[in-house]
Amino acid sequence: MNKLFITLLLCIVVSWTQAADEINVVIWNNGTDVNIGTMDVTADDYAHLEIILPDFVYQPSILQSSTYNYVTKQLSLYALNLQKEPFLFIIDTTTWSILSKTALYQEFQYGGLASTNTQQNNLFTTCSAAGYIYPSTIDPNTKAISKLDTVLGSYRGSVYLPNIESYLVVFRNHTGLFAKVYSETSSVVSEISFHFSGNPYPINDSPLNLVYDSTNQNVLAQVYMTDSNDRPSYALAYLVWTPGWVPGDFQVTRMTGYTGDVFLTTVPNNQRQQYAYSFANTYGETTLYTFSTYKNNFVTFRPVFTQVLSAF
């Protein structure tokens, strides 16, 4: 076997591996079923169905009701049955099988799922009820939820920060926008006030759908604004905050959507290519935006034919 053939073979294998790794896991509703499948956000116009959760509905994307463990390839998500009872599902995306299905207390609204990307599949979450949110952990074996803290306010987003191995929860109360940071073994690590900068229009009080971008080691937020003609306008913002320093800042970028398009979920490219992809609801249709996180600007957009609510 000559060296040229070996080199070509290695290039084919590497290219195939990269292409396979670009496939994203996506969630959408289809009537009274939760659909879960795959989609290449760089090329596909629709998702490929892999598994169905019949008689369940995925919650609005603003609650951040799912998370993906890139180490174990396990998808965790909350869904409501037709009686509005919440359940936690753990799904193996290599075999597309349900590993566990756990009924939860109905008096809480569940969201803010975040994986620590460990072999144990440790999870953070938030539970909300009667004007309070309860940042919590989920036992990977029993699926029991253990409260870390009680916070007066409304949930606005959460994300796991691997650089400090902590869970950040953003909330709004009567005095402003704040975040608390938690470790797995203790309650509050720190508390931060937040504001926005660089926004061309006034910011609306709305959930931020936080997501960690491993390429840039930064957090992206979806920011909802109202333009000068009183129309919705969305943009991506970077969370700027150094542990030990206050306040924090959401710096709004030039990664903006067209007026009227409502961002639903954003997924960064996991191939260390500096792009992010945002699914938007466009007057009942779905649009997929591509942004450059290197230049912090719009690249392109196209219609897609699956109403994706969450992507990883």
Side-chain angles (χ1 to χ4, degrees):
M1 187 178 292
N2 61 50
K3 292 181 179 179
L4 178 59
F5 180 80
I6 293 173
T7 301
L8 290 173
L9 181 63
L10 287 173
C11 288
I12 292 171
V13 170
V14 169
S15 298
W16 181 88
T17 301
Q18 288 178 340
D21 286 344
E22 288 176 359
I23 301 300
N24 297 85
V25 174
V26 295
I27 304 171
W28 69 102
N29 286 320
N30 185 8
T32 57
D33 298 337
V34 176
N35 286 6
I36 302 167
T38 58
M39 182 177 185
D40 181 350
V41 296
T42 67
D44 286 344
D45 294 328
Y46 59 90
H48 305 276
L49 179 64
E50 298 289 353
I51 189 172
I52 297 175
L53 307 181
D55 298 326
F56 277 89
V57 176
Y58 186 71
Q59 300 179 103
S61 57
I62 56 176
L63 296 176
Q64 298 191 234
S65 299
S66 57
T67 187
Y68 189 70
N69 186 324
Y70 291 92
V71 173
T72 64
K73 310 301 181 185
Q74 292 179 7
L75 175 70
S76 304
L77 70 128
Y78 292 120
L80 304 178
N81 66 13
L82 300 185
Q83 291 72 46
K84 306 297 184 183
E85 297 167 333
F87 285 76
L88 172 65
F89 288 86
I90 311 293
I91 295 170
D92 184 340
T93 64
T94 61
T95 61
W96 294 108
S97 58
I98 298 174
L99 299 178
S100 64
K101 174 185 174 183
T102 307
L104 303 169
Y105 293 111
Q106 196 169 357
E107 60 264 34
F108 293 102
Q109 183 178 67
Y110 298 89
L113 277 173
S115 171
T116 60
N117 286 299
T118 56
Q119 197 65 44
Q120 296 75 28
N121 198 35
N122 295 324
L123 298 170
F124 285 96
T125 190
T126 60
C127 311
S128 301
Y132 289 87
I133 59 175
Y134 306 94
S136 307
T137 57
I138 299 177
D139 186 284
N141 299 312
T142 66
K143 308 301 181 291
I145 297 176
S146 299
K147 185 180 71 173
L148 291 171
D149 194 14
T150 300
V151 179
L152 177 62
S154 301
Y155 176 78
R156 290 294 176 265
S158 56
V159 66
Y160 181 72
L161 304 175
N163 56 326
I164 58 173
E165 297 183 340
S166 298
Y167 179 58
L168 181 141
V169 179
V170 179
F171 60 96
R172 166 78 65 177
N173 62 24
H174 66 283
T175 60
L177 189 68
F178 297 89
K180 287 190 175 185
V181 181
Y182 304 89
S183 71
E184 288 186 79
T185 56
S186 63
S187 56
V188 182
V189 175
S190 59
E191 182 172 347
I192 318 107
S193 61
F194 272 94
H195 60 265
F196 295 89
S197 65
N199 45 297
Y201 305 116
I203 301 291
N204 294 314
D205 177 25
S206 177
L208 296 163
N209 276 20
L210 304 180
V211 61
Y212 183 75
D213 183 349
S214 60
T215 299
N216 297 324
Q217 297 183 340
N218 209 331
V219 173
L220 287 169
Q222 296 176 178
V223 176
Y224 172 35
M225 300 170 286
T226 300
D227 73 6
S228 54
N229 293 313
D230 201 32
R231 297 172 300 184
S233 176
Y234 274 76
L236 299 185
Y238 282 114
L239 181 151
V240 179
W241 167 68
T242 301
W245 293 84
V246 291
D249 184 25
F250 284 105
Q251 292 184 357
V252 179
T253 71
R254 291 177 291 119
M255 294 186 281
T256 59
Y258 286 102
T259 298
D261 291 358
V262 177
F263 285 11
L264 299 176
T265 189
T266 296
V267 57
N269 188 289
N270 61 6
Q271 290 296 304
R272 299 201 175 280
Q273 300 173 18
Q274 297 186 38
Y275 293 99
Y277 306 89
S278 293
F279 290 88
N281 184 299
T282 309
Y283 305 110
E285 304 296 331
T286 301
T287 297
L288 179 57
Y289 283 88
T290 300
F291 299 110
S292 168
T293 55
Y294 175 69
K295 296 182 178 180
N296 291 336
N297 63 3
F298 167 86
V299 176
T300 187
F301 80 108
R302 68 180 195 274
V304 294
F305 305 105
T306 305
Q307 295 187 343
V308 172
L309 297 176
S310 191
F312 302 96

mmCIF file of all heavy atoms in Angstrom, residues 26-56:
data_model
loop_
_atom_site.group_PDB
_atom_site.id
_atom_site.type_symbol
_atom_site.label_atom_id
_atom_site.label_comp_id
_atom_site.label_asym_id
_atom_site.label_seq_id
_atom_site.Cartn_x
_atom_site.Cartn_y
_atom_site.Cartn_z
ATOM 1 N N VAL A 26 -31.924 17.516 17.528
ATOM 2 C CA VAL A 26 -32.945 18.567 17.560
ATOM 3 C C VAL A 26 -34.256 18.015 18.116
ATOM 4 O O VAL A 26 -34.515 16.815 18.060
ATOM 5 C CB VAL A 26 -33.184 19.179 16.162
ATOM 6 C CG1 VAL A 26 -31.946 19.908 15.665
ATOM 7 C CG2 VAL A 26 -33.603 18.106 15.154
ATOM 8 N N ILE A 27 -35.076 18.915 18.658
ATOM 9 C CA ILE A 27 -36.371 18.563 19.260
ATOM 10 C C ILE A 27 -37.444 19.454 18.647
ATOM 11 O O ILE A 27 -37.228 20.662 18.462
ATOM 12 C CB ILE A 27 -36.338 18.775 20.792
ATOM 13 C CG1 ILE A 27 -35.192 17.988 21.436
ATOM 14 C CG2 ILE A 27 -37.675 18.376 21.424
ATOM 15 C CD1 ILE A 27 -34.973 18.329 22.899
ATOM 16 N N TRP A 28 -38.596 18.859 18.345
ATOM 17 C CA TRP A 28 -39.735 19.644 17.892
ATOM 18 C C TRP A 28 -41.031 18.925 18.268
ATOM 19 O O TRP A 28 -41.027 17.746 18.613
ATOM 20 C CB TRP A 28 -39.662 19.903 16.387
ATOM 21 C CG TRP A 28 -39.851 18.715 15.486
ATOM 22 C CD1 TRP A 28 -40.980 18.380 14.796
ATOM 23 C CD2 TRP A 28 -38.876 17.712 15.122
ATOM 24 N NE1 TRP A 28 -40.776 17.242 14.040
ATOM 25 C CE2 TRP A 28 -39.490 16.814 14.225
ATOM 26 C CE3 TRP A 28 -37.533 17.488 15.489
ATOM 27 C CZ2 TRP A 28 -38.839 15.715 13.676
ATOM 28 C CZ3 TRP A 28 -36.871 16.398 14.941
ATOM 29 C CH2 TRP A 28 -37.513 15.524 14.055
ATOM 30 N N ASN A 29 -42.125 19.663 18.244
ATOM 31 C CA ASN A 29 -43.441 19.078 18.510
ATOM 32 C C ASN A 29 -44.134 18.739 17.197
ATOM 33 O O ASN A 29 -44.001 19.461 16.205
ATOM 34 C CB ASN A 29 -44.326 20.050 19.299
ATOM 35 C CG ASN A 29 -43.919 20.155 20.760
ATOM 36 O OD1 ASN A 29 -43.569 19.168 21.392
ATOM 37 N ND2 ASN A 29 -43.979 21.369 21.303
ATOM 38 N N ASN A 30 -44.886 17.653 17.211
ATOM 39 C CA ASN A 30 -45.702 17.271 16.063
ATOM 40 C C ASN A 30 -47.077 16.886 16.594
ATOM 41 O O ASN A 30 -47.301 15.744 16.995
ATOM 42 C CB ASN A 30 -45.067 16.111 15.302
ATOM 43 C CG ASN A 30 -45.829 15.770 14.041
ATOM 44 O OD1 ASN A 30 -46.752 16.471 13.637
ATOM 45 N ND2 ASN A 30 -45.457 14.668 13.402
ATOM 46 N N GLY A 31 -47.963 17.879 16.657
ATOM 47 C CA GLY A 31 -49.267 17.628 17.257
ATOM 48 C C GLY A 31 -49.112 17.355 18.746
ATOM 49 O O GLY A 31 -48.623 18.202 19.491
ATOM 50 N N THR A 32 -49.513 16.168 19.179
ATOM 51 C CA THR A 32 -49.397 15.799 20.598
ATOM 52 C C THR A 32 -48.243 14.835 20.824
ATOM 53 O O THR A 32 -48.246 14.066 21.784
ATOM 54 C CB THR A 32 -50.706 15.173 21.095
ATOM 55 O OG1 THR A 32 -51.018 14.035 20.274
ATOM 56 C CG2 THR A 32 -51.837 16.178 21.044
ATOM 57 N N ASP A 33 -47.243 14.878 19.982
ATOM 58 C CA ASP A 33 -46.051 14.044 20.151
ATOM 59 C C ASP A 33 -44.813 14.928 20.183
ATOM 60 O O ASP A 33 -44.727 15.933 19.465
ATOM 61 C CB ASP A 33 -45.892 13.042 18.997
ATOM 62 C CG ASP A 33 -47.048 12.058 18.910
ATOM 63 O OD1 ASP A 33 -47.730 11.854 19.938
ATOM 64 O OD2 ASP A 33 -47.269 11.502 17.819
ATOM 65 N N VAL A 34 -43.831 14.533 21.015
ATOM 66 C CA VAL A 34 -42.513 15.153 20.955
ATOM 67 C C VAL A 34 -41.682 14.351 19.958
ATOM 68 O O VAL A 34 -41.568 13.121 20.077
ATOM 69 C CB VAL A 34 -41.825 15.164 22.330
ATOM 70 C CG1 VAL A 34 -40.414 15.731 22.210
ATOM 71 C CG2 VAL A 34 -42.637 15.984 23.325
ATOM 72 N N ASN A 35 -41.116 15.020 18.987
ATOM 73 C CA ASN A 35 -40.235 14.383 18.018
ATOM 74 C C ASN A 35 -38.790 14.755 18.310
ATOM 75 O O ASN A 35 -38.492 15.924 18.585
ATOM 76 C CB ASN A 35 -40.587 14.814 16.594
ATOM 77 C CG ASN A 35 -41.858 14.173 16.081
ATOM 78 O OD1 ASN A 35 -42.555 13.486 16.823
ATOM 79 N ND2 ASN A 35 -42.163 14.397 14.822
ATOM 80 N N ILE A 36 -37.922 13.773 18.223
ATOM 81 C CA ILE A 36 -36.497 13.993 18.439
ATOM 82 C C ILE A 36 -35.755 13.365 17.270
ATOM 83 O O ILE A 36 -36.068 12.243 16.852
ATOM 84 C CB ILE A 36 -36.032 13.366 19.765
ATOM 85 C CG1 ILE A 36 -36.833 13.945 20.939
ATOM 86 C CG2 ILE A 36 -34.536 13.615 19.989
ATOM 87 C CD1 ILE A 36 -36.676 13.174 22.231
ATOM 88 N N GLY A 37 -34.793 14.089 16.736
ATOM 89 C CA GLY A 37 -34.073 13.555 15.591
ATOM 90 C C GLY A 37 -32.747 14.247 15.382
ATOM 91 O O GLY A 37 -32.179 14.820 16.305
ATOM 92 N N THR A 38 -32.278 14.210 14.148
ATOM 93 C CA THR A 38 -30.986 14.783 13.804
ATOM 94 C C THR A 38 -31.136 15.742 12.640
ATOM 95 O O THR A 38 -32.079 15.647 11.844
ATOM 96 C CB THR A 38 -29.971 13.688 13.439
ATOM 97 O OG1 THR A 38 -30.490 12.914 12.349
ATOM 98 C CG2 THR A 38 -29.685 12.796 14.632
ATOM 99 N N MET A 39 -30.188 16.650 12.550
ATOM 100 C CA MET A 39 -30.207 17.632 11.470
ATOM 101 C C MET A 39 -28.819 18.224 11.314
ATOM 102 O O MET A 39 -28.181 18.605 12.294
ATOM 103 C CB MET A 39 -31.220 18.738 11.787
ATOM 104 C CG MET A 39 -31.362 19.783 10.704
ATOM 105 S SD MET A 39 -32.656 20.988 11.152
ATOM 106 C CE MET A 39 -32.689 21.976 9.645
ATOM 107 N N ASP A 40 -28.337 18.276 10.099
ATOM 108 C CA ASP A 40 -27.102 18.987 9.806
ATOM 109 C C ASP A 40 -27.474 20.445 9.574
ATOM 110 O O ASP A 40 -28.031 20.801 8.533
ATOM 111 C CB ASP A 40 -26.436 18.391 8.566
ATOM 112 C CG ASP A 40 -25.115 19.077 8.221
ATOM 113 O OD1 ASP A 40 -24.808 20.132 8.813
ATOM 114 O OD2 ASP A 40 -24.386 18.567 7.344
ATOM 115 N N VAL A 41 -27.185 21.289 10.556
ATOM 116 C CA VAL A 41 -27.630 22.682 10.464
ATOM 117 C C VAL A 41 -26.893 23.447 9.382
ATOM 118 O O VAL A 41 -27.308 24.541 8.992
ATOM 119 C CB VAL A 41 -27.483 23.414 11.823
ATOM 120 C CG1 VAL A 41 -28.380 22.793 12.879
ATOM 121 C CG2 VAL A 41 -26.034 23.443 12.280
ATOM 122 N N THR A 42 -25.796 22.880 8.870
ATOM 123 C CA THR A 42 -25.067 23.547 7.796
ATOM 124 C C THR A 42 -25.661 23.260 6.423
ATOM 125 O O THR A 42 -25.321 23.940 5.453
ATOM 126 C CB THR A 42 -23.588 23.116 7.789
ATOM 127 O OG1 THR A 42 -23.501 21.724 7.440
ATOM 128 C CG2 THR A 42 -22.949 23.341 9.141
ATOM 129 N N ALA A 43 -26.566 22.257 6.338
ATOM 130 C CA ALA A 43 -27.016 21.858 5.007
ATOM 131 C C ALA A 43 -28.471 21.425 4.931
ATOM 132 O O ALA A 43 -29.140 21.674 3.912
ATOM 133 C CB ALA A 43 -26.129 20.724 4.479
ATOM 134 N N ASP A 44 -28.999 20.760 5.960
ATOM 135 C CA ASP A 44 -30.336 20.167 5.864
ATOM 136 C C ASP A 44 -31.446 21.214 5.866
ATOM 137 O O ASP A 44 -31.347 22.240 6.544
ATOM 138 C CB ASP A 44 -30.579 19.195 7.023
ATOM 139 C CG ASP A 44 -29.806 17.896 6.857
ATOM 140 O OD1 ASP A 44 -29.337 17.616 5.734
ATOM 141 O OD2 ASP A 44 -29.665 17.162 7.851
ATOM 142 N N ASP A 45 -32.522 20.889 5.148
ATOM 143 C CA ASP A 45 -33.707 21.735 5.151
ATOM 144 C C ASP A 45 -34.774 21.216 6.103
ATOM 145 O O ASP A 45 -35.778 21.884 6.339
ATOM 146 C CB ASP A 45 -34.305 21.820 3.746
ATOM 147 C CG ASP A 45 -33.390 22.534 2.771
ATOM 148 O OD1 ASP A 45 -32.657 23.438 3.210
ATOM 149 O OD2 ASP A 45 -33.400 22.180 1.579
ATOM 150 N N TYR A 46 -34.591 20.016 6.621
ATOM 151 C CA TYR A 46 -35.542 19.427 7.552
ATOM 152 C C TYR A 46 -34.801 18.449 8.456
ATOM 153 O O TYR A 46 -33.694 17.999 8.157
ATOM 154 C CB TYR A 46 -36.681 18.709 6.807
ATOM 155 C CG TYR A 46 -36.202 17.604 5.891
ATOM 156 C CD1 TYR A 46 -36.075 16.296 6.345
ATOM 157 C CD2 TYR A 46 -35.861 17.877 4.563
ATOM 158 C CE1 TYR A 46 -35.621 15.289 5.513
ATOM 159 C CE2 TYR A 46 -35.409 16.868 3.725
ATOM 160 C CZ TYR A 46 -35.295 15.576 4.203
ATOM 161 O OH TYR A 46 -34.834 14.586 3.387
ATOM 162 N N ALA A 47 -35.424 18.115 9.584
ATOM 163 C CA ALA A 47 -34.829 17.176 10.541
ATOM 164 C C ALA A 47 -35.210 15.750 10.166
ATOM 165 O O ALA A 47 -36.237 15.502 9.531
ATOM 166 C CB ALA A 47 -35.308 17.494 11.953
ATOM 167 N N HIS A 48 -34.371 14.809 10.584
ATOM 168 C CA HIS A 48 -34.601 13.389 10.354
ATOM 169 C C HIS A 48 -35.071 12.763 11.662
ATOM 170 O O HIS A 48 -34.333 12.744 12.655
ATOM 171 C CB HIS A 48 -33.324 12.716 9.861
ATOM 172 C CG HIS A 48 -32.747 13.376 8.640
ATOM 173 N ND1 HIS A 48 -33.169 13.090 7.365
ATOM 174 C CD2 HIS A 48 -31.806 14.347 8.525
ATOM 175 C CE1 HIS A 48 -32.503 13.841 6.504
ATOM 176 N NE2 HIS A 48 -31.668 14.610 7.184
ATOM 177 N N LEU A 49 -36.285 12.278 11.683
ATOM 178 C CA LEU A 49 -36.899 11.737 12.891
ATOM 179 C C LEU A 49 -36.194 10.460 13.339
ATOM 180 O O LEU A 49 -35.945 9.563 12.534
ATOM 181 C CB LEU A 49 -38.377 11.459 12.639
ATOM 182 C CG LEU A 49 -39.178 10.863 13.806
ATOM 183 C CD1 LEU A 49 -39.227 11.842 14.975
ATOM 184 C CD2 LEU A 49 -40.589 10.499 13.347
ATOM 185 N N GLU A 50 -35.906 10.378 14.661
ATOM 186 C CA GLU A 50 -35.259 9.190 15.222
ATOM 187 C C GLU A 50 -36.110 8.515 16.296
ATOM 188 O O GLU A 50 -36.118 7.291 16.402
ATOM 189 C CB GLU A 50 -33.888 9.557 15.824
ATOM 190 C CG GLU A 50 -32.880 10.120 14.825
ATOM 191 C CD GLU A 50 -32.346 9.082 13.856
ATOM 192 O OE1 GLU A 50 -32.653 7.883 14.035
ATOM 193 O OE2 GLU A 50 -31.630 9.470 12.913
ATOM 194 N N ILE A 51 -36.812 9.307 17.109
ATOM 195 C CA ILE A 51 -37.603 8.732 18.192
ATOM 196 C C ILE A 51 -38.780 9.658 18.492
ATOM 197 O O ILE A 51 -38.661 10.885 18.339
ATOM 198 C CB ILE A 51 -36.744 8.488 19.457
ATOM 199 C CG1 ILE A 51 -37.524 7.690 20.510
ATOM 200 C CG2 ILE A 51 -36.212 9.786 20.019
ATOM 201 C CD1 ILE A 51 -36.648 7.252 21.693
ATOM 202 N N ILE A 52 -39.900 9.070 18.902
ATOM 203 C CA ILE A 52 -41.119 9.819 19.229
ATOM 204 C C ILE A 52 -41.497 9.570 20.683
ATOM 205 O O ILE A 52 -41.413 8.439 21.168
ATOM 206 C CB ILE A 52 -42.283 9.390 18.318
ATOM 207 C CG1 ILE A 52 -41.967 9.723 16.853
ATOM 208 C CG2 ILE A 52 -43.584 10.070 18.725
ATOM 209 C CD1 ILE A 52 -43.017 9.214 15.882
ATOM 210 N N LEU A 53 -41.895 10.626 21.366
ATOM 211 C CA LEU A 53 -42.505 10.514 22.692
ATOM 212 C C LEU A 53 -43.995 10.780 22.507
ATOM 213 O O LEU A 53 -44.435 11.943 22.512
ATOM 214 C CB LEU A 53 -41.884 11.515 23.673
ATOM 215 C CG LEU A 53 -40.360 11.514 23.803
ATOM 216 C CD1 LEU A 53 -39.913 12.551 24.821
ATOM 217 C CD2 LEU A 53 -39.838 10.136 24.173
ATOM 218 N N PRO A 54 -44.800 9.731 22.307
ATOM 219 C CA PRO A 54 -46.228 9.932 21.989
ATOM 220 C C PRO A 54 -47.000 10.486 23.182
ATOM 221 O O PRO A 54 -46.728 10.157 24.334
ATOM 222 C CB PRO A 54 -46.703 8.532 21.603
ATOM 223 C CG PRO A 54 -45.741 7.598 22.266
ATOM 224 C CD PRO A 54 -44.424 8.305 22.308
ATOM 225 N N ASP A 55 -47.955 11.355 22.887
ATOM 226 C CA ASP A 55 -48.834 11.968 23.889
ATOM 227 C C ASP A 55 -48.059 12.821 24.886
ATOM 228 O O ASP A 55 -48.410 12.897 26.070
ATOM 229 C CB ASP A 55 -49.646 10.893 24.621
ATOM 230 C CG ASP A 55 -50.549 10.113 23.682
ATOM 231 O OD1 ASP A 55 -51.054 10.714 22.718
ATOM 232 O OD2 ASP A 55 -50.726 8.897 23.902
ATOM 233 N N PHE A 56 -47.013 13.457 24.400
ATOM 234 C CA PHE A 56 -46.257 14.419 25.195
ATOM 235 C C PHE A 56 -46.013 15.666 24.361
ATOM 236 O O PHE A 56 -46.021 15.623 23.122
ATOM 237 C CB PHE A 56 -44.907 13.836 25.643
ATOM 238 C CG PHE A 56 -44.992 12.981 26.867
ATOM 239 C CD1 PHE A 56 -45.232 11.618 26.752
ATOM 240 C CD2 PHE A 56 -44.857 13.531 28.136
ATOM 241 C CE1 PHE A 56 -45.324 10.815 27.883
ATOM 242 C CE2 PHE A 56 -44.943 12.738 29.273
ATOM 243 C CZ PHE A 56 -45.176 11.375 29.148
#
